[in-house]
Amino acid sequence: MEFICYPKCSTCQKAKKWLDENKIVYTERHIVEANPSAEELKMWYKRSGLPLKKFFNTSGRLYKEMKLKDKLSEMSEEEQIKLLATNGMLVKRPLVVDEDKVLVGFKETEWKEKLI
């Protein structure tokens, strides 16, 4: 299982602590140093069953600076995935990815249900 995070993010820190407390084995990946590729994002998006918008860090500074709230609706899925692949700070985090699961953001009840 891969835990994709931004170490300075408080939500990522909470999620990591939760994984450790529940003795869940994972490989940590820094989302900025090892930004997800368009291929990975497309695969995760399809596997997650979530709307693509859920993969965007809508509360992030970069998202707001780029005024993506207004632009995303005019972009194709392919364009949105390519945009996400340009900068890890655009991607909602943390992400947990394994063979059959993709969890976006940290919601303890969902993680408990799907990971324990």
Side-chain angles (χ1 to χ4, degrees):
M1 182 171 86
E2 199 168 21
F3 175 63
I4 304 154
C5 66
Y6 182 63
K8 292 179 183 168
C9 162
S10 61
T11 305
C12 293
Q13 291 167 1
K14 279 185 212 158
K16 182 177 177 167
K17 183 175 186 247
W18 185 89
L19 289 171
D20 292 342
E21 285 172 353
N22 287 283
K23 298 183 179 24
I24 296 170
V25 179
Y26 59 90
T27 304
E28 188 172 335
R29 176 171 163 185
H30 190 301
I31 199 161
V32 176
E33 293 172 0
N35 192 45
S37 68
E39 293 75 32
E40 285 176 310
L41 289 159
K42 185 184 285 188
M43 187 173 56
W44 299 342
Y45 160 57
K46 299 279 186 229
R47 212 182 309 154
S48 75
L50 295 168
L52 188 53
K53 188 176 188 320
K54 292 280 187 190
F55 281 81
F56 280 88
N57 178 13
T58 56
S59 59
R61 186 175 47 86
L62 188 57
Y63 181 90
K64 291 173 182 167
E65 283 174 4
M66 294 175 75
K67 297 181 175 42
L68 292 177
K69 182 180 179 213
D70 306 323
K71 296 178 185 172
L72 286 183
S73 60
E74 298 163 14
M75 297 170 75
S76 70
E77 277 188 2
E78 199 64 36
E79 289 170 324
Q80 290 181 43
I81 288 169
K82 283 181 179 157
L83 178 62
L84 281 169
T86 63
N87 190 319
M89 295 307 274
L90 288 173
V91 181
K92 177 126 178 112
R93 52 197 185 265
L95 282 149
V96 166
V97 178
D98 71 9
E99 292 302 312
D100 60 340
K101 280 184 283 305
V102 176
L103 304 178
V104 181
F106 178 58
K107 296 176 201 80
E108 189 173 339
T109 51
E110 180 189 18
W111 282 37
K112 195 178 287 184
E113 182 184 301
K114 297 195 173 158
L115 298 176
I116 297 180

